[in-house]
Amino acid sequence: MEKWEGKTAIVTGASAGIGDAIVRDLVKHGINVVAMARRMVRLQKLRDQLRNEKGKVIPIKCDVSDKQSIEEAFEEIEQRVGKVHILVNNAGICISSDIFNNSKKSDEIIVSTINTNFLGLVRFSKNAYKLMKKTDDYGIIINIGSVAGHNASLDFPLNVYPGTKFAVRAVTESMRQELNKLKDTKIRVCEISPGGVLTEIGGDSMNTPEMKAMIESGMFPMLKSSDISQTVLFMLMTPYEVNITEMIVKPVGERI
Ligand SMILES: NC(=O)c1ccc[n+]([C@@H]2O[C@H](COP(=O)([O-])OP(=O)(O)OC[C@H]3O[C@@H](n4cnc5c(N)ncnc54)[C@H](OP(=O)(O)O)[C@@H]3O)[C@@H](O)[C@H]2O)c1
């Protein structure tokens, strides 16, 4: 990890769950992290908690589903930080609902899931790549997908969520191919597909007594956010010329 010390990472979705854990692990290793999300209060609290770590946290507000918000955030990153070496595209939403539902609400869920999980990730990658090129140094884009991006037959209706995660895997490979064509051997792109991780993404459905009992008994095994941040560290630890393009990380005993 020493090779990344003093370098800069951007982590989206840093105000909760997996993103929060990734920020904690990166700053412990001396990486300066631009922590991004919509809830600034949470990002500022994270910065304060990690004040004594080797790397520093720079909280910047951004709605990844909004093009203008992304452009403004990158102007701020360019002014305050300048160079970027690592991008972790982690922000995501997953709202249980049906596709064949003609309500306005259902349409809003479809649009915001695509804009957050897919379009936001593509736009962040484009903007971060521009700043990575300025460094003339090594860089890496890590996209957080899901096991739902490998298998859409889940027990509950997740609308277009699996579709966006299949798309994340596809676009990761398209980016890799494009970097090959550009003969850009300094920037790598890869994808991590987590299985179930106990975070806020499942909302209240994960907090029922029945669900808690199933998790505790091992009937419904779940990872911790730190299991995924450790996977991010593993990706970073590999030599610059090694590209692990994809990793699936499941809790032992997961059914999917
Ligand atoms: N938990 C799981 O079981 C699981 C499994 C596989 C994959 N994943 C993936 O892991 C990633 C992180 O999920 P998580 O489980 O940690 O969820 P989480 O606890 O709900 O956290 C989601 C994060 O994404 C941010 N976010 C959501 N919409 C955003 C937007 N429009 N603009 C900016 N930030 C936004 C949230 O911040 P704000 O609300 O403050 O903006 C929050 O920081 C997601 O891509 C998810 O699909 C999770």
Side-chain angles (χ1 to χ4, degrees), residues 1-2 5-6 26-32 50-57:
M1 282 303 291
E2 295 78 34
E5 231 178 277
L26 294 183
V27 293
K28 275 188 193 128
H29 286 86
I31 297 165
N32 299 315
L50 300 174
R51 210 176 273 291
N52 296 323
E53 296 294 349
K54 269 208 260 172
K56 64 173 192 265
V57 177

Short mmCIF file of all heavy atoms in Angstrom, two decimals, residues 1-2 5-6 26-32 50-57:
data_model
loop_
_atom_site.label_atom_id
_atom_site.label_comp_id
_atom_site.label_asym_id
_atom_site.label_seq_id
_atom_site.Cartn_x
_atom_site.Cartn_y
_atom_site.Cartn_z
N MET A 1 0.82 -1.22 0.00
CA MET A 1 0.00 0.00 0.00
C MET A 1 0.86 1.27 0.00
O MET A 1 0.35 2.34 -0.28
CB MET A 1 -0.92 0.00 1.20
CG MET A 1 -2.14 -0.87 1.09
SD MET A 1 -3.20 -0.50 -0.31
CE MET A 1 -3.86 1.09 0.14
N GLU A 2 2.16 1.12 0.31
CA GLU A 2 3.03 2.32 0.44
C GLU A 2 3.02 3.14 -0.84
O GLU A 2 3.13 4.36 -0.80
CB GLU A 2 4.48 1.94 0.76
CG GLU A 2 4.69 1.27 2.10
CD GLU A 2 4.29 -0.20 2.09
OE1 GLU A 2 4.48 -0.86 1.04
OE2 GLU A 2 3.77 -0.68 3.11
N GLU A 5 0.61 5.99 -0.82
CA GLU A 5 0.68 6.98 0.27
C GLU A 5 0.88 8.39 -0.28
O GLU A 5 1.69 8.61 -1.19
CB GLU A 5 1.85 6.63 1.20
CG GLU A 5 1.43 6.59 2.65
CD GLU A 5 2.55 6.21 3.58
OE1 GLU A 5 2.80 5.00 3.73
OE2 GLU A 5 3.18 7.14 4.13
N GLY A 6 0.11 9.32 0.22
CA GLY A 6 0.21 10.72 -0.25
C GLY A 6 -0.56 10.99 -1.53
O GLY A 6 -0.64 12.12 -1.99
N LEU A 26 -8.82 3.81 3.54
CA LEU A 26 -7.85 4.53 2.69
C LEU A 26 -7.05 5.55 3.49
O LEU A 26 -5.82 5.63 3.34
CB LEU A 26 -8.56 5.22 1.50
CG LEU A 26 -9.22 4.29 0.47
CD1 LEU A 26 -9.83 5.11 -0.66
CD2 LEU A 26 -8.24 3.27 -0.10
N VAL A 27 -7.71 6.33 4.33
CA VAL A 27 -6.96 7.36 5.08
C VAL A 27 -5.99 6.72 6.07
O VAL A 27 -4.92 7.27 6.33
CB VAL A 27 -7.87 8.40 5.80
CG1 VAL A 27 -8.60 9.26 4.81
CG2 VAL A 27 -8.80 7.77 6.79
N LYS A 28 -6.33 5.54 6.60
CA LYS A 28 -5.40 4.83 7.50
C LYS A 28 -4.11 4.51 6.77
O LYS A 28 -3.06 4.38 7.38
CB LYS A 28 -6.04 3.52 7.98
CG LYS A 28 -6.92 3.71 9.16
CD LYS A 28 -7.40 2.40 9.77
CE LYS A 28 -8.52 2.71 10.73
NZ LYS A 28 -9.72 1.96 10.53
N HIS A 29 -4.19 4.34 5.45
CA HIS A 29 -3.01 4.02 4.65
C HIS A 29 -2.38 5.27 4.03
O HIS A 29 -1.63 5.17 3.05
CB HIS A 29 -3.35 2.98 3.58
CG HIS A 29 -3.54 1.61 4.16
ND1 HIS A 29 -4.74 1.18 4.68
CD2 HIS A 29 -2.65 0.61 4.38
CE1 HIS A 29 -4.58 -0.06 5.16
NE2 HIS A 29 -3.33 -0.40 5.00
N GLY A 30 -2.73 6.43 4.55
CA GLY A 30 -2.05 7.66 4.12
C GLY A 30 -2.54 8.23 2.80
O GLY A 30 -1.87 9.06 2.18
N ILE A 31 -3.71 7.78 2.35
CA ILE A 31 -4.28 8.31 1.11
C ILE A 31 -5.23 9.46 1.46
O ILE A 31 -6.02 9.34 2.42
CB ILE A 31 -5.02 7.18 0.34
CG1 ILE A 31 -4.01 6.09 -0.05
CG2 ILE A 31 -5.75 7.72 -0.89
CD1 ILE A 31 -4.65 4.78 -0.49
N ASN A 32 -5.14 10.55 0.73
CA ASN A 32 -6.07 11.67 0.95
C ASN A 32 -7.35 11.37 0.16
O ASN A 32 -7.27 11.01 -1.02
CB ASN A 32 -5.44 12.98 0.47
CG ASN A 32 -4.18 13.27 1.25
OD1 ASN A 32 -4.14 13.14 2.47
ND2 ASN A 32 -3.12 13.64 0.54
N LEU A 50 -11.84 11.24 11.57
CA LEU A 50 -10.59 10.69 11.01
C LEU A 50 -9.46 11.72 10.99
O LEU A 50 -8.46 11.54 10.30
CB LEU A 50 -10.86 10.15 9.59
CG LEU A 50 -11.91 9.04 9.51
CD1 LEU A 50 -12.23 8.67 8.07
CD2 LEU A 50 -11.44 7.80 10.26
N ARG A 51 -9.63 12.79 11.75
CA ARG A 51 -8.68 13.91 11.75
C ARG A 51 -7.24 13.47 12.06
O ARG A 51 -6.30 14.03 11.54
CB ARG A 51 -9.13 14.96 12.78
CG ARG A 51 -8.74 16.35 12.41
CD ARG A 51 -9.29 17.34 13.39
NE ARG A 51 -10.63 17.81 13.11
CZ ARG A 51 -10.96 18.58 12.09
NH1 ARG A 51 -10.05 18.98 11.23
NH2 ARG A 51 -12.20 18.97 11.93
N ASN A 52 -7.10 12.44 12.90
CA ASN A 52 -5.74 12.05 13.32
C ASN A 52 -5.12 10.93 12.48
O ASN A 52 -4.07 10.41 12.82
CB ASN A 52 -5.73 11.64 14.80
CG ASN A 52 -6.10 12.83 15.68
OD1 ASN A 52 -5.73 13.96 15.38
ND2 ASN A 52 -6.87 12.58 16.73
N GLU A 53 -5.80 10.56 11.41
CA GLU A 53 -5.25 9.50 10.55
C GLU A 53 -4.15 10.07 9.63
O GLU A 53 -4.00 11.29 9.53
CB GLU A 53 -6.36 8.85 9.71
CG GLU A 53 -7.42 8.14 10.51
CD GLU A 53 -6.89 6.91 11.26
OE1 GLU A 53 -5.74 6.47 10.99
OE2 GLU A 53 -7.62 6.40 12.12
N LYS A 54 -3.46 9.15 8.93
CA LYS A 54 -2.33 9.59 8.07
C LYS A 54 -2.81 10.43 6.88
O LYS A 54 -2.20 11.42 6.53
CB LYS A 54 -1.59 8.35 7.54
CG LYS A 54 -0.45 7.91 8.44
CD LYS A 54 0.62 7.20 7.64
CE LYS A 54 0.55 5.72 7.73
NZ LYS A 54 1.41 4.95 6.89
N GLY A 55 -3.89 9.99 6.27
CA GLY A 55 -4.43 10.75 5.14
C GLY A 55 -5.53 11.67 5.61
O GLY A 55 -6.06 11.49 6.72
N LYS A 56 -5.89 12.66 4.80
CA LYS A 56 -6.99 13.54 5.22
C LYS A 56 -8.25 13.34 4.37
O LYS A 56 -8.18 12.86 3.24
CB LYS A 56 -6.53 14.99 5.25
CG LYS A 56 -6.12 15.60 3.94
CD LYS A 56 -5.87 17.09 4.14
CE LYS A 56 -5.74 17.81 2.82
NZ LYS A 56 -4.50 18.06 2.25
N VAL A 57 -9.37 13.73 4.97
CA VAL A 57 -10.66 13.59 4.28
C VAL A 57 -11.10 14.97 3.82
O VAL A 57 -11.09 15.93 4.60
CB VAL A 57 -11.74 13.01 5.23
CG1 VAL A 57 -13.10 12.94 4.54
CG2 VAL A 57 -11.34 11.63 5.72
#
